[in-house]
Amino acid sequence: MSVTPSTAQELVEEIFLFGRALRSAVITSSVDPIPTALVGVLSILATYGECRQSDLAGELCISQSVLSRQIADLVDAGYVCRHSDPADGRVSRIRVTPEGTALLHRSKEAKAALLRATLSHWTEGDALVALDAVRKLERTLFEHAHRARVSNSAIHSGSSL
């Protein structure tokens, strides 16, 4: 049996509230030397790996102009570097620097410590159940988004799947 419309609506609302609660408890309390949005871009770039800026913008679902400003700030701070794409010298590739990797490590440790303190009354079992549910939801949402991008790409290129 599929999810009912009312359950889906409640889930959307709870996910939104979850994001706000997480930012309130962990992210805004962080001691990161750069804005949260830049830490997010840095984290996704570290996961995605060296790439063209346009590819990262697509991965983040943001415009290239917005990402360009964020990457410029990260380059200025020494957390990201740019170099020419060997396949096309007109294009730059970006990657996280060792300083950026160190910042992400410190940031993740600080956020994990804050969350651990916040969840001090939870059991390990409670946390693992929540982790499994979040991972399942994340996988489902990413798989759906990937299928939608592939479908939209096929429609815009005129090919069929």
Side-chain angles (χ1 to χ4, degrees):
M1 179 181 195
S2 67
V3 175
T4 66
S6 63
T7 300
Q9 181 60 42
E10 284 185 55
L11 190 54
V12 167
E13 291 171 11
E14 290 301 324
I15 291 169
F16 174 76
L17 292 173
F18 176 78
R20 289 183 60 207
L22 182 63
R23 279 189 299 278
S24 176
V26 177
I27 296 173
T28 57
S29 302
S30 181
V31 293
D32 294 330
I34 58 175
T36 301
L38 295 182
V39 175
V41 169
L42 190 62
S43 180
I44 298 298
L45 178 58
T47 300
Y48 194 75
E50 181 179 305
C51 62
R52 290 181 174 192
Q53 194 167 302
S54 59
D55 294 337
L56 185 61
E59 184 70 19
L60 291 166
C61 300
I62 61 175
S63 72
Q64 288 191 48
S65 63
V66 168
L67 181 61
S68 183
R69 288 187 298 274
Q70 293 174 325
I71 293 298
D73 290 345
L74 288 167
V75 168
D76 290 346
Y79 299 128
V80 168
C81 67
R82 286 188 184 117
H83 61 89
S84 294
D85 187 328
D88 183 351
R90 300 168 296 172
V91 177
S92 293
R93 295 183 65 82
I94 53 175
R95 67 175 167 80
V96 176
T97 64
E99 293 82 5
T101 300
L103 170 69
L104 285 174
H105 180 74
R106 288 190 308 274
S107 178
K108 287 177 183 179
E109 282 184 343
K111 290 172 185 167
L114 286 167
L115 187 59
R116 187 168 182 249
T118 301
L119 302 179
S120 64
H121 63 286
W122 283 36
T123 67
E124 181 70 7
D126 292 338
L128 290 172
V129 167
L131 182 59
D132 285 343
V134 169
R135 283 179 174 160
K136 182 178 180 179
L137 180 59
E138 176 192 356
R139 273 191 310 274
T140 301
L141 295 173
F142 274 128
E143 288 167 2
H144 173 76
H146 175 73
R147 284 192 304 275
R149 277 196 307 269
V150 168
S151 177
N152 286 338
S153 177
I155 290 168
H156 292 299
S157 69
S159 65
S160 61
L161 294 175

